[in-house]
Structure formats: C-alpha cells, structure tokens
Amino acid sequence: MSVFITSGATGEGFATLSRNGIVLDAWFPEPNLAPAGGKPATTRLYQRDAAGNARADEVRQVEIVPIRTDIAALPDPPVDAHDAYLRLHLLSHRLVKPNTINLDGLFQKIETVAWTTLGPCALDDLTEARIRARVKGVAFDVKGIDKIPRMTDFVVPHGVRIADAGRVRLGAYLAEGTMVMHEGFCNFNAGTLGACMVEGRISQGIVVGAGSDIGGGASLMGTLSGGGKERVSVGERCLVGANAGLGIALGDDCIVEAGCYVTAGSLIKLEDGRTVKARELSGQSGLLFWRNSRTGALEAIKRKKIWGTLNPQLHATAG
C-alpha cells in the first residue's frame, strides 16, 4: 500500500483550451510543494492577459491562457485536468517520487489529444487544422495521439540524457545521472532513484535504484493494464539482462540473466533443492536468476561474482 506525502502544491503557468473550452494541456514551468489546506482551484491570471501572455492560435483553434493551480492535499485524487497536469509536473521536476502522490482517476481527467509540432490539438479539430496549416505554409506534424505527452515538451530535468524524447512520458522521475537510450522507455509515476542505464522498459509505478542497468529489450512489469498485482521495483546495483522480464521486486545487487522472464508465479528452484514461487523471493538481495541450460528450469542462486557496475564516465557526463 502506498504512503502518500501530506503536502499540497501550487503552480503558475499556461493552459491550452480548445474552441469548446476543453483543457488540452497545462504547463507549469516552476511548480512547488505547499502546505496542505485550502481548496483546490485553478484561476485565470488576468493581469498576465493584460501583459500580453494570453494568445490565440488560429491553426489549431485554441487559446493559451495564464493560470494558477492550487492542490489542497496531494493524498487526495486529482479534481480536474489542471490538477492532474500539475501532479505530473511535480514528478518530472523531482519534487515528489513515484507512488507518493494520489493519481487515482488521472486518465479520466485528461483529454486524449493530438500532440503536434505546434502543440496540442483537439481530435475533432485535427483535420481542419491540417488544412489551415497547409494553406498558411506552416509545418504541422502529428507526433502522437495520447493523453499524456512526452516529458521533454514540458520538463527537462538537469543531468539526464534521453536519446529518444518520445519514449519518456510526462510524469517520469529521472534522477541525475540517468541515461535513457534509444530503446529505453519510462512511463509516468515511474523512474530512477539514482544514476541508471535504461535500455529497456520501466512501466508505470516502478522505481529503479541507483547504479542499476535495465538491459536492451528488458521489461519491468507494471499493473496499469491489469494482470498481476505485485509491486515491482529494482534495488541498487542490479542488472536486468537484455530481453529479460521482471514481475517481482529485486533487492540490491541482483541479476536477472538475459532472456530470463521471472513472473510472480514462476517456479524457481533454489540451491537447497526446494522449489518456490518467485513471489516468495520478492525483495531479496544478492540473487542471480537464470534458466538452467541443461534442465530448462528457472533457478535462483546466491551471487558469487560482480557484473561490473555502470560506466562512471558515461553517467558523470549525463547532463
């Protein structure tokens, strides 16, 4: 069970509104935590309108308006789209860690939109927007159709490298020194707690400890789309090998052999001859999970060798 932080939050920024008044996104350049209390609210900053900060985009038929959003208590669920976006910003700005704030109902608060080179566009207005852009000679490419945008369009954390920006969603928490390579992926409310190499997939709700390496094609299972209910996490100085998979928590200093998929219900043979389900080993440190090449059985043994750790030169220059 998650233990939420008790504070509130506040942020000033800009919201994009469709011609029907639907919130397409909200950007908070410098969000902050705040004492809990008061009422959750979003207000339009009309003084900034007067200063010329509000504008309309004729191509997308949207209005961009300055706003202030206040969250009374982060243990409470989001109340609207502005609130939901502010929570995602808090995660990517590293003000809160994954699984420490309430995100219940977030998908129901946020619209599915077309993320374009000009910004978000309502799906109902997309065809006409393409026509207007072509008439005006404006480049208008659709980068994705989704509820949650890529992180780097809103937040660029200090000291990280992201080879393909489209593979990290807003709400990802990437610690300084982290490298997300071309095939790596990090979902919202997930991420790294120290310098890590990410060449595989970090699903929603999963955190990876400092000094760990998620190999190319590896998959850390989340619970967002149903299935198992195990809370997956990876400890410090772990290696999840290429094309491996993980459905349990790893303690520190563990290895999952390349190509080895360990789900909570996988039968694991131990060194003392017993066979247990993998969930019974969840969170234990110093284990090597591999598939015996002679018998085909999944096994877990105490590690006897180090795997080499991260390359300090690569991660020292991540920023």
Side-chain angles (χ1 to χ4, degrees):
M1 183 176 178
S2 298
V3 177
F4 296 139
I5 64 172
T6 58
S7 66
T10 185
E12 293 187 2
F14 299 89
T16 305
L17 308 180
S18 74
R19 57 186 173 86
N20 297 322
I22 296 172
V23 178
L24 302 182
D25 77 354
W27 174 43
F28 301 97
E30 296 181 353
N32 291 288
L33 297 177
K39 293 183 178 180
T42 293
T43 56
R44 183 161 175 171
L45 302 178
Y46 286 100
Q47 71 274 22
R48 290 193 175 181
D49 284 6
N53 286 323
R55 71 178 183 89
D57 185 321
E58 294 182 1
V59 172
R60 292 177 290 145
Q61 292 290 285
V62 302
E63 184 181 12
I64 300 166
V65 300
I67 59 168
R68 175 189 172 98
T69 294
D70 294 294
I71 298 174
L74 289 168
D76 297 335
V79 300
D80 57 21
H82 303 104
D83 182 321
Y85 268 96
L86 179 52
R87 291 172 195 247
L88 295 174
H89 279 73
L90 294 174
L91 285 159
S92 289
H93 276 279
R94 302 192 292 229
L95 296 174
V96 298
K97 293 181 179 179
N99 306 314
T100 65
I101 60 175
N102 195 334
L103 300 177
D104 290 349
L106 180 137
F107 280 162
Q108 287 69 45
K109 303 299 182 185
I110 294 179
E111 291 291 316
T112 300
V113 303
W115 299 101
T116 79
T117 46
L118 296 182
C121 180
L123 294 179
D124 290 344
D125 297 330
L126 183 57
T127 298
E128 290 298 320
R130 288 183 189 275
I131 295 172
R132 287 189 290 270
R134 182 163 295 192
V135 169
K136 291 177 175 291
V138 176
F140 187 79
D141 296 328
V142 177
K143 299 181 290 185
I145 306 293
D146 202 355
K147 288 181 177 288
I148 300 179
R150 62 184 187 178
M151 181 182 72
T152 55
D153 286 342
F154 295 80
V155 182
V156 179
H158 177 265
V160 304
R161 289 168 56 187
I162 303 171
D164 184 345
R167 298 184 66 84
V168 178
R169 297 175 97 187
L170 181 64
Y173 181 108
L174 299 182
E176 187 167 355
T178 294
M179 297 173 58
V180 183
M181 302 308 293
H182 295 80
E183 296 304 316
F185 170 79
C186 189
N187 211 337
F188 75 99
N189 195 37
T192 62
L193 303 181
C196 292
M197 173 66 77
V198 181
E199 298 179 278
R201 185 171 72 247
I202 303 177
S203 298
Q204 189 271 349
I206 296 175
V207 292
V208 178
S212 292
D213 187 327
I214 311 303
S219 175
L220 307 183
M221 295 172 58
T223 58
L224 192 62
S225 297
K229 301 301 180 183
E230 295 288 328
R231 174 67 73 181
V232 176
S233 62
V234 176
E236 297 184 354
R237 301 174 301 279
C238 291
L239 172 63
V240 181
N243 298 315
L246 189 64
I248 62 170
L250 292 183
D252 298 334
D253 302 299
C254 289
I255 293 177
V256 181
E257 180 188 50
C260 182
Y261 214 113
V262 181
T263 65
S266 296
L267 296 178
I268 307 293
K269 185 176 180 181
L270 305 180
E271 290 178 280
D272 61 9
R274 290 184 300 130
T275 298
V276 300
K277 288 188 175 181
R279 64 169 53 92
E280 297 183 39
L281 304 175
S282 187
Q284 293 190 27
S285 297
L287 292 179
L288 165 62
F289 293 88
W290 65 0
R291 188 173 293 278
N292 188 304
S293 60
R294 293 182 178 178
T295 66
L298 285 172
E299 298 180 349
I301 64 174
K302 285 292 184 181
R303 285 187 51 203
K304 299 176 176 62
K305 298 179 180 179
I306 63 170
W307 61 268
T309 72
L310 300 178
N311 184 326
Q313 293 182 332
L314 289 178
H315 295 268
T317 59

